[in-house]
Amino acid sequence: SAVISQKPSRDICQRGTSLTIQCQVDSQVTMMFWYRQQPGQSLTLIATANQGSEATYESGFVIDKFPISRPNLTFSTLTVSNMSPEDSSIYLCSVSQASQFFGPGTRLTVL
Amino acid sequence: GESVGLHLPTLSVQEGDNSIINCAYSNSASDYFIWYKQESGKGPQFIIDIRSNMDKRQGQRVTVLLNKTVKHLSLQIAATQPGDSAVYFCAENRKNTDKLIFGTGTRLQVFP
């Protein structure tokens, strides 16, 4: 399976600021996804990161809050904009390669 | 450590016993299912998958059973070890999409 890395691994941010999370894959993949895992909960799909076009967002998630870039087949970023404490979560990227595999996650705490 | 799984149902088993983790899925159109293991501070790790044209699949020490009639999925872990302690999630893949819908998760605790 692909090796997936994320940066940063964790961060503590002030409300009102924005954080960009990077996801790097060691091989070219067509499908990349971003998930959110709120404390003590399961994973929820935020969006599908499409290479060369705008991301496809799930219900309840909007581009202004979670802008996503996908400049090539090995890299994507997710920005959490204008953060509030409710955005404190683990953010995970995943890739579809026969099955779906996840990165290690970015643990975000918003004060 | 991370607070993954604070409010999740918990299964406690003795080391060496077999574990069975259950999951009910929601959509009869789902045709692919995956079990993930998530240890504290880590991302979900793929364990085993099964397609809807099968009802059983075995891996190393793990078996997944699929009952499409009642939309039920289970993960059986043989000879459970302390390293199996984690939160386990099932996920369903809707047909003709790559989107995964995750279950609520079960925390497995293995005691000596």
Side-chain angles (χ1 to χ4, degrees), chain B residues 55-84:
Chain B
D55 52 21
K56 180 178 180 179
R57 189 159 189 235
Q58 288 184 292
Q60 187 177 20
R61 272 200 316 119
V62 295
T63 301
V64 54
L65 299 178
L66 175 62
N67 185 330
K68 294 181 286 294
T69 303
V70 295
K71 292 189 284 189
H72 184 268
L73 195 66
S74 69
L75 177 70
Q76 300 178 3
I77 304 174
T80 313
Q81 303 168 0
D84 295 326

Side-chain angles (χ1 to χ4, degrees), chain A residues 88-102:
Chain A
S88 297
S89 292
I90 302 171
Y91 292 87
L92 296 142
C93 71
S94 72
V95 303
S96 184
Q97 199 176 46
S99 188
Q100 202 165 125
F101 301 93
F102 284 81

Side-chain angles (χ1 to χ4, degrees), chain B residues 9-21 37-39 61-62 75-88 106-112:
Chain B
T10 299
L11 174 66
S12 296
V13 299
Q14 191 163 25
E15 183 178 356
D17 286 353
N18 297 333
S19 303
I20 299 176
I21 301 171
K37 172 187 181 183
Q38 188 174 30
E39 296 175 281
R61 272 200 316 119
V62 295
L75 177 70
Q76 300 178 3
I77 304 174
T80 313
Q81 303 168 0
D84 295 326
S85 295
V87 177
Y88 289 80
T106 298
R107 180 197 297 272
L108 176 65
Q109 292 180 332
V110 183
F111 57 92

